[in-house]
Amino acid sequence: MALADAKSLPLRHRGNGQPVWLLPALVVVVGLICGLPLLRLAFRASEAVFAGEGGSVFLDPMTWRATRNTLIVSIVGTVISIVLGALFAIPVALTDIRGRAALALAFMLPMMIPPQITALAWVQMTGPSSALLNAIALAPPLGSPQPLYSRGGIALLIGVQNAPLVFLSMMAGLTAVPRDLVEAARLAGARQREVLASIALPLALPGLVAGAALAFVSGVGNFGIPAILGLPSSILTLPTLIYVRLASFGTGTLGDMALLSGLVAALAIFGIWVQTRAMRGRSLRTVGHAGRPVRFELGAGKLPVQLLLWFVLFFILVAPFLALVSTSLLPTYGVRLTLETASLAAYRAVLFTQSMTVSAFTNSFLLAGLAAFGLLLVTLPLGWYLARGRSRLSGLLASTIEVPYALPGIVVAVACILLFAAPLPVIGVSLYGTLWIILFAYLASFMAVSLKPVAAAFSQIDPALEEAARLTGAGFVRRMTTITLPLAAPAAGAAVILVFLIAVNELTISALLWSAGTQTLGVAVFNLDDSGEATLAAALSVIIVIMVLALMLALDRLAARLPKGVVPWRV
Amino acid sequence: MARLILDAITRRFGADQPAVDAVSLDIAPGTFLALLGPSGCGKTTTLRLVAGFETPDSGRILLGDRLLAEGARAVPPEDRNMAMVFQSHALWPHMSVAENVGYPLKVRGLPSAERAARIAHALDTVDLGGFRDRAPAELSGGQRQRVALARCLVTDPDVILFDEPLASLDRHLKASLEDAFRAFHRRTGATIVYVTHDQAEAMALADTVAVMDRGRIAQAGAPESIYRHPQTRAVAALIGQGAILDLPCRFDSSSREIGRDALHAAFLAPAASAGSTVPVLVRPEDVVADPAEGIEFTVSDCVFRGERYGLALVHASDRRVFAWSAVAATIGETVRYSLVRGRLLEG
């Protein structure tokens, strides 16, 4: 044995061969982007409480009126979401009705379409000045009130918007019901109806509760719907109250804004707590063979159920969109729409001549593109680390990313204002009022969106593939670029599309952070509607909806090459 | 070529009993070593320690005079010049067969002409010359394992590691790949460490077998020597067939071999008079028909094994042995058999 003359000096290395700088770099980046703004918000809010600034917020009846409105519209909205979500989830997941994939995709649309556009479309569908209703001579008489400018209207639209959350959450539970379980129950003598009531539905209950909690959180933070429907009739919710305060008093009321955001965050955290508790019972999922889902036969009931579902979809999806299209084709608002009067002037204006909308396109595409690709730079190494690393920090990193995504956008926006109100230290540049503060807020909010598909892909790649490359002598960077990243490429593509889809339509964050020249598409629609340019707002909305559809179809095309669960409507 | 030396390496996961417990092996160049043992015995962890995917908590690994690991300080796998065939093949699904095989050469920066020649040669060696442009997904399980083998071949590694490469294949494929592995070893003379839980596979392939049990090397040696001279009950139970009898201790302990007369005396001793007992291995080939002077057994089972019958014999004392027979026996029939040789085991 030649122990004494061992020549080479051994190196210290970790089992999975990651470079030593990886974890510290990830901790710093995630901490700066996702952790710091919210810490700043929490710090500022407690500062305000201890300095006695709380009085101006908590003694103001406006605060409590807005809180009450927020609770009413989000609770009623959640009930509507549960009814609609369950109405679709149960037949689509468990029965043999036709066109289940199409129904699932169509029912997802209300969630993907930006809330302010949903609100606009419904306003165009129902009021006395509806171009659609006037064209078919069904419009209510002029001067009659717009029924949607009310708490009920806000709650209804929030309910429609968030119903897909309940739907998806229930689908996850229902499609995991193993066929063996149901077949065993039927062999034991149970009839279809009994099996449904005694086995399938109890398994779907945690999904329903979790989905309802998510819908509540989303309702609390919704800005677009109460902004379009509530502001004209002075019905304020907490997010619109924050917006109005910022618009009228500027950043001088930062303490108040921190406290109001804290209130929104507290309501949201309650919802998230309920959702987390509901999901704990999910360990049931692993029993039996998944993969072969249950199909209950509806027999004679099949056709009526199909008709009902498509009718509901027509009412919440097709009719509002037709109303939007009708309005967008008007030469001027108020003219009756006929084949002769129809015009594409509004489209020409928003796409080419109106500098406000043209720059909104540029801004939104730039922001969404930078966010989508920029986030990959963080989420690719992070996703790999979460799948392969053995550090105790993994869990902390993952939840730090979840927080700004789970909290309403209005909270993140206020946190960013607080963080960047003063010029940056050392370099002395102020981000406030520039595009970069919006980009920063997007990075914080959507990091979780980008991480999910990527992390799922990495955890499905057999570690032996990387180990085999290691033994051939390939170092970390080479293994990543030639083996691991090519295998994760479809998921990275999905992450880019998902982030782009959400960011390009975003309103809540940019509504608080924009200033002259940095308006986004969401802000543009909102401003056009606010200044009475209904046809332009409708035309811009139609373009955005078509863009959303195109991106969803691109994602759908990619679905076969992605880990399960990445494309939300593919169940 | 250099010796691979494992010097008292220990690896523990958590506070439990170590997965690998002070394992020492001295593997001469060109050896085909099989690490054999039941699942959870530490054989795969040992292999991963040699590859460098795990680092030992203590002990040293040397390749010739090159120190690969000393405690937690270790050379990373990419600098060890080893190759491995994985149970899951670990072929890169986004690369063709030729790209998979050529990857190690690309990493080493070989010019493309030489790469192509070496890839062609490696693929010919495993009889896959015509498959260079196929995707791994288009190949059968056996073909994938051959590609993995070719990928190991191209770089002349110092040591080739096999992690249960045949565990997920059917019997027929197993036999044909065993032939391929044997031919591969004959031709390359590479040092091989081969992990398996299948004793027949280990016996058929290896020139040295190391039996592992609960993180330790229970016994190492040539397959035939382990078969003939198992030292412990665990090794005897894992290797070959036979009955392990607990017999009263009356043997001369200087020799582990027990002759017919001593064995018969112990076998027939009344169980009640037994003070302490020792384990004795009796192989089926040492249980021979002896109508004149054999011990009386009842046939409790008779199984056709193709070339012969396997008999389970039970004695009036309830002790059981196994025997081979050219002809079938009737269950319940009384027969006379002699135990011509036994082997004393430890614990």
Side-chain angles (χ1 to χ4, degrees):
Chain A
M1 293 229 271
L3 297 182
D5 46 79
K7 277 184 202 156
S8 68
L9 268 180
L11 306 155
R12 182 172 292 276
H13 81 100
R14 290 163 203 267
N16 54 8
Q18 83 224 12
V20 283
W21 49 263
L22 183 63
L23 180 62
L26 289 172
V27 169
V28 168
V29 171
V30 169
L32 277 182
I33 295 179
C34 295
L36 192 60
L38 294 169
L39 286 178
R40 179 77 187 97
L41 173 65
F43 178 73
R44 186 67 182 86
S46 46
E47 207 180 41
V49 170
F50 287 119
E53 292 174 50
S56 63
V57 173
F58 293 123
L59 296 179
D60 186 353
M62 188 81 117
T63 307
W64 300 113
R65 216 177 302 140
T67 307
R68 194 162 154 261
N69 285 340
T70 306
L71 283 173
I72 290 174
V73 297
S74 42
I75 289 170
V76 175
T78 302
V79 172
I80 295 169
S81 294
I82 291 173
V83 172
L84 277 175
L87 177 72
F88 277 78
I90 292 170
V92 169
L94 295 181
T95 71
D96 60 344
I97 58 165
R98 283 199 198 152
R100 287 190 306 274
L103 278 168
L105 180 63
F107 192 69
M108 284 300 298
L109 281 172
M111 192 174 83
M112 311 307 278
I113 291 171
Q116 71 279 13
I117 291 182
T118 306
L120 267 185
W122 282 65
V123 168
Q124 297 304 331
M125 177 173 76
T126 49
S129 50
S130 161
L132 180 70
L133 296 186
N134 279 309
I136 53 179
L138 277 177
L142 277 175
S144 53
Q146 163 55 265
L148 290 175
Y149 288 164
S150 64
R151 281 192 300 221
I154 297 172
L156 172 67
L157 262 61
I158 285 180
V160 170
Q161 173 104 36
N162 295 332
L165 292 171
V166 179
F167 172 76
L168 282 179
S169 188
M170 281 188 77
M171 287 290 280
L174 288 172
T175 49
V177 177
R179 188 184 273 189
D180 310 5
L181 268 187
V182 172
E183 284 169 354
R186 297 201 66 181
L187 283 175
R191 304 211 165 274
Q192 278 205 106
R193 197 166 306 185
E194 291 160 357
V195 174
L196 188 70
S198 63
I199 295 193
L201 293 186
L203 283 171
L205 196 63
L208 188 142
V209 176
L214 278 178
F216 174 77
V217 174
S218 178
V220 166
N222 196 307
F223 173 76
I225 290 169
I228 299 269
L229 301 182
L231 288 182
S233 50
S234 300
I235 301 169
L236 289 178
T237 62
L238 284 172
T240 50
L241 176 64
I242 293 173
Y243 172 78
V244 169
R245 282 280 159 86
L246 183 71
S248 46
F249 301 114
T251 53
T253 52
L254 284 181
D256 291 7
M257 306 240 302
L259 288 173
L260 286 172
S261 315
L263 208 52
V264 177
L267 290 177
I269 288 166
F270 167 73
I272 295 165
W273 175 77
V274 171
Q275 186 234 349
T276 321
R277 288 208 52 144
M279 295 301 278
R280 260 187 225 155
R282 278 299 177 84
S283 51
L284 283 170
R285 303 183 62 158
T286 47
V287 183
H289 290 291
R292 288 197 318 156
V294 190
R295 289 277 169 266
F296 288 98
E297 282 153 26
L298 283 186
K302 203 158 132 180
L303 194 64
V305 171
Q306 275 166 221
L307 282 177
L308 172 71
L309 296 186
W310 285 112
F311 176 76
V312 171
L313 272 179
F314 175 83
F315 192 66
I316 64 176
L317 206 64
V318 183
F321 184 67
L322 286 179
L324 208 53
V325 173
S326 312
T327 306
S328 73
L329 293 174
L330 293 178
T332 17
Y333 200 45
V335 176
R336 190 161 180 238
L337 183 69
T338 62
L339 280 179
E340 287 74 43
T341 57
S343 133
L344 290 176
Y347 290 91
R348 219 171 292 127
V350 294
L351 281 176
F352 305 111
T353 55
Q354 284 263 344
S355 67
M356 196 273 276
T357 54
V358 173
S359 76
F361 271 107
T362 321
N363 290 339
S364 275
F365 277 77
L366 185 68
L367 284 170
L370 284 176
F373 286 100
L375 279 173
L376 272 191
L377 296 180
V378 183
T379 54
L380 281 174
L382 182 64
W384 182 83
Y385 186 81
L386 293 179
R388 299 276 186 275
R390 297 180 194 165
S391 165
R392 283 187 205 141
L393 281 171
S394 296
L396 185 66
L397 276 173
S399 36
T400 307
I401 288 168
E402 275 304 315
V403 174
Y405 174 61
L407 287 179
I410 200 98
V411 177
V412 177
V414 170
C416 287
I417 294 175
L418 292 172
L419 189 61
F420 293 115
L424 290 177
V426 188
I427 50 173
V429 179
S430 178
L431 290 191
Y432 189 73
T434 68
L435 267 185
W436 310 117
I437 188 173
I438 305 181
L439 179 64
F440 185 90
Y442 284 2
L443 293 178
S445 277
F446 306 140
M447 195 177 282
V449 177
S450 175
L451 179 65
K452 193 188 166 200
V454 174
F458 283 130
S459 61
Q460 285 188 1
I461 297 173
D462 182 359
L465 295 178
E466 285 171 37
E467 290 175 354
R470 257 196 118 176
L471 275 180
T472 69
F476 178 76
V477 173
R478 180 155 211 148
R479 292 199 297 276
M480 287 297 124
T481 50
T482 57
I483 307 290
T484 315
L485 292 183
L487 292 173
V496 166
I497 297 179
L498 276 171
V499 172
F500 192 91
L501 184 62
I502 297 173
V504 84
N505 290 318
E506 196 284 330
L507 170 65
T508 317
I509 289 173
S510 46
L512 259 71
L513 299 179
W514 76 282
S515 59
T518 69
Q519 68 276 45
T520 61
L521 282 175
V523 172
V525 170
F526 182 59
N527 285 353
L528 284 173
D529 178 66
D530 197 39
S531 54
E533 302 274 12
T535 53
L536 294 186
L540 188 54
S541 299
V542 171
I543 294 170
I544 291 172
V545 169
I546 289 169
M547 204 164 71
V548 168
L549 284 177
L551 287 169
M552 282 177 76
L553 283 179
L555 201 55
D556 201 62
R557 278 289 175 83
L558 210 57
R561 299 176 55 194
L562 294 171
K564 236 186 147 193
V566 165
V567 180
W569 54 88
R570 284 283 188 121
V571 280
Chain B
M1 281 298 195
R3 296 185 93 75
L4 177 63
I5 296 160
L6 279 62
D7 179 23
I9 52 169
T10 296
R11 175 77 172 109
R12 46 181 92 235
F13 299 106
D16 311 337
Q17 203 208 332
V20 173
D21 190 1
V23 163
S24 291
L25 285 167
D26 185 342
I27 304 160
T31 301
F32 194 133
L33 172 84
L35 278 177
L36 174 66
S39 68
C41 72
K43 56 191 191 301
T44 295
T45 307
T46 305
L47 193 78
R48 293 176 63 81
L49 283 161
V50 172
F53 297 131
E54 301 283 348
T55 48
D57 294 313
S58 62
R60 289 194 286 190
I61 302 173
L62 291 110
L63 187 62
D65 56 1
R66 187 173 173 224
L67 195 49
L68 293 183
E70 181 167 35
R73 294 166 62 79
V75 176
E78 50 266 45
D79 299 330
R80 292 196 176 193
N81 195 30
M82 294 184 179
M84 186 155 167
V85 176
F86 294 81
Q87 182 178 346
S88 62
H89 325 297
L91 296 184
W92 300 300
H94 58 302
M95 297 185 191
S96 70
V97 165
E99 283 169 332
N100 265 283
V101 175
Y103 185 84
L105 303 172
K106 215 169 175 177
V107 169
R108 275 151 224 239
L110 260 69
S112 67
E114 192 182 343
R115 258 194 346 245
R118 287 235 226 162
I119 293 168
H121 181 251
L123 284 176
D124 285 340
T125 310
V126 296
D127 294 329
L128 285 175
F131 290 78
R132 46 171 301 131
D133 295 322
R134 298 278 188 95
E138 299 171 81
L139 303 179
S140 71
Q143 287 168 333
R144 283 180 206 166
Q145 213 51 293
R146 284 169 198 268
V147 175
L149 197 59
R151 185 172 65 187
C152 292
L153 271 172
V154 285
T155 51
D156 289 327
D158 291 326
V159 179
I160 301 178
L161 308 168
F162 287 77
D163 186 9
E164 308 219 21
L166 303 181
S168 57
L169 300 177
D170 67 49
R171 239 173 105 174
H172 177 71
L173 259 175
K174 246 179 167 166
S176 97
L177 276 169
E178 275 177 14
D179 291 342
F181 291 167
R182 242 194 318 271
F184 168 76
H185 182 237
R186 260 201 305 274
R187 194 163 39 234
T188 61
T191 306
I192 288 175
V193 181
Y194 188 105
V195 162
T196 179
H197 63 264
D198 181 338
Q199 54 122 346
E201 201 176 302
M203 297 277 172
L205 289 169
D207 44 44
T208 308
V209 174
V211 181
M212 285 193 74
D213 181 38
R214 280 168 291 174
R216 292 168 176 274
I217 302 286
Q219 191 175 349
E224 191 177 337
S225 138
I226 292 193
Y227 183 84
R228 297 229 182 281
H229 313 295
Q231 280 167 4
T232 66
R233 183 190 282 267
V235 175
L238 198 67
I239 304 279
Q241 282 155 310
I244 298 171
L245 304 166
D246 288 304
L247 298 180
C249 181
R250 286 189 190 167
F251 306 109
D252 166 20
S253 58
S254 66
S255 163
R256 301 207 150 263
E257 294 289 333
I258 304 162
R260 176 182 183 278
D261 296 341
L263 194 54
H264 275 209
F267 190 86
L268 296 170
S273 76
S276 61
T277 60
V278 290
V280 173
L281 170 70
V282 180
R283 297 276 189 208
E285 58 268 35
D286 295 331
V287 180
V288 296
D290 186 357
E293 294 178 0
I295 302 171
E296 200 175 275
F297 289 97
T298 307
V299 176
S300 70
D301 202 2
C302 173
V303 183
F304 183 51
R305 297 283 183 200
E307 70 284 10
R308 59 193 170 185
Y309 293 86
L311 303 186
L313 306 175
V314 60
H315 182 249
S317 63
D318 213 31
R319 291 183 177 127
R320 285 159 190 277
V321 294
F322 301 98
W324 300 127
S325 165
V327 293
T330 317
I331 291 170
E333 179 186 354
T334 303
V335 291
R336 281 178 175 275
Y337 272 75
S338 272
L339 316 179
V340 299
R341 197 182 309 128
R343 185 172 169 82
L344 201 55
L345 303 170
E346 293 160 12

